[in-house]
Amino acid sequence: MDGNNNARGYSHRDLTNRMEEGSRFFSQSYFAGAAVSFRHARDASIQIHGESSLECAIARYSHGLSLLCQIPVPINDPMAFVKKEVDYYSSVIPFPSAAFQAYRGALDENYVRILEDAKGELNLAWSIMEYRIDNYLLKANILSALGEVAYRMGESNPQRYYFEASSIFDTWLGENSRRVADIYVKLLICLEGSDKSKAIACGYKAMSIYRALYEKLSSETGTADQRRGSSSVARTDPFIQPKRDVAQQMCNMITNLAHKASSSETHSLFVLFTRQVS
């Protein structure tokens, strides 16, 4: 049941409380509970603000994403080394992909149904946001989530969502953002079996962004000085270690991409970007 015709009387406080509750469950990786809270928030937003409101789009996106997060990922998932949509839900709380279960073989009927429900909510969120100009990043996040749903459902063209999302992220986050690089990795994986030239171009773009981010962070954290035995910078800047952790993540992404490329004909195009990165 969609719940749009719910006769319950909701207040603004109900909407706020349900969204906060859902976000809290999300932070605890309790995605089933988050889905229930966000479903109530969706119903409240429809009753209070209307089906075409920004509040409704946010609630539907949150509900759809919490449904998506209940789906286990396959063993040896090709996208295992790149962030999932759950990791982007909040810029404050890093939700670990490790919270996901894994499965072998095909999804059972219940998971397929949940994926279909997630797709339905995200499509409705997109229908609200498609022609709006007041929240471009929400639009891109919805598209990226739709890309992951399509990929998990085995659809033939999940890259259509990622391409559209990448154009928005490029504009609003800047072409050298981690989010943009991750989108290009997902495009690489979606395209490598059907359009080798586009896949190579996306991999090249992702690799160059990761390399630029790695070099910037290494410079800011005095990595070279640390290798020579100096730790003075780390003692004066409390943000040094978090930056070093992110730099290591960038290094790992470059290594993963290089490893992926080493088993294919794309290797020669990526090897330049992996030199001198450690």
Side-chain angles (χ1 to χ4, degrees):
M1 180 176 178
D2 183 70
N4 289 357
N5 297 318
N6 194 325
R8 173 180 172 178
Y10 287 103
S11 67
H12 287 275
R13 182 185 293 274
D14 290 328
L15 175 56
T16 299
N17 288 345
R18 287 298 191 174
M19 287 300 295
E20 290 178 348
E21 180 182 64
S23 297
R24 184 172 67 253
F25 285 148
F26 222 113
S27 71
Q28 299 166 349
S29 298
Y30 178 32
F31 301 124
V36 172
S37 297
F38 289 136
R39 188 180 71 244
H40 284 296
R42 175 205 64 193
D43 295 341
S45 68
I46 291 172
Q47 187 178 102
I48 297 168
H49 299 287
E51 294 192 27
S52 299
S53 65
L54 176 62
E55 291 82 1
C56 182
I58 292 171
R60 285 195 182 279
Y61 164 67
S62 301
H63 183 220
L65 195 59
S66 62
L67 291 170
L68 171 60
C69 292
Q70 296 178 51
I71 307 302
V73 297
I75 299 295
N76 299 321
D77 177 21
M79 288 195 184
F81 67 96
V82 67
K83 286 186 173 185
K84 298 178 178 63
E85 289 307 307
V86 60
D87 298 301
Y88 306 114
Y89 184 74
S90 170
S91 60
V92 179
I93 304 172
F95 302 114
S97 296
F100 285 78
Q101 304 174 47
Y103 72 93
R104 297 179 183 274
L107 285 172
D108 65 31
E109 184 176 336
N110 182 55
Y111 285 133
V112 172
R113 180 184 57 77
I114 292 173
L115 265 179
E116 290 173 346
D117 288 346
K119 183 177 181 179
E121 279 287 65
L122 292 167
N123 273 328
L124 286 168
W126 175 245
S127 70
I128 297 170
M129 295 303 301
E130 185 174 7
Y131 299 109
R132 295 179 70 115
I133 60 173
D134 52 346
N135 196 320
Y136 281 98
L137 291 181
L138 176 61
K139 294 173 73 168
N141 281 322
I142 293 170
L143 287 165
S144 188
L146 280 168
E148 185 166 319
V149 169
Y151 179 78
R152 298 294 169 202
M153 294 182 74
E155 294 182 7
S156 61
N157 192 23
Q159 59 267 25
R160 68 188 184 277
Y161 300 110
Y162 288 134
F163 270 123
E164 195 165 353
S166 69
S167 66
I168 298 175
F169 285 133
D170 272 336
T171 300
W172 291 93
L173 297 179
E175 62 178 12
N176 282 334
S177 78
R178 168 72 183 273
R179 187 75 159 104
V180 171
D182 290 344
I183 281 283
Y184 279 112
V185 174
K186 293 176 181 181
L187 281 167
L188 163 66
I189 293 169
C190 290
L191 290 164
E192 59 186 349
S194 59
D195 194 327
K196 184 67 70 175
S197 62
K198 285 185 179 179
I200 290 172
C202 290
Y204 185 93
K205 177 73 172 177
M207 187 79 80
S208 65
I209 295 173
Y210 290 133
R211 179 61 183 268
L213 291 172
Y214 173 81
E215 291 179 344
K216 180 177 182 291
L217 287 163
S218 295
S219 174
E220 291 175 353
T221 58
T223 302
D225 289 337
Q226 186 187 34
R227 289 172 180 167
R228 289 194 293 269
S230 171
S231 59
S232 60
V233 178
R235 288 197 299 268
T236 59
D237 187 345
F239 298 105
I240 288 296
Q241 190 56 50
K243 287 182 178 180
R244 283 181 179 153
D245 292 341
V246 176
Q248 185 59 51
Q249 292 175 20
M250 299 301 99
C251 181
N252 292 341
M253 290 302 296
I254 293 170
T255 301
N256 284 326
L257 278 177
H259 178 73
K260 183 175 182 59
S262 67
S263 59
S264 71
E265 60 193 62
T266 63
H267 176 62
S268 61
L269 293 177
F270 292 155
V271 68
L272 174 65
F273 293 94
T274 65
R275 290 175 181 169
Q276 300 175 348
V277 177
S278 60

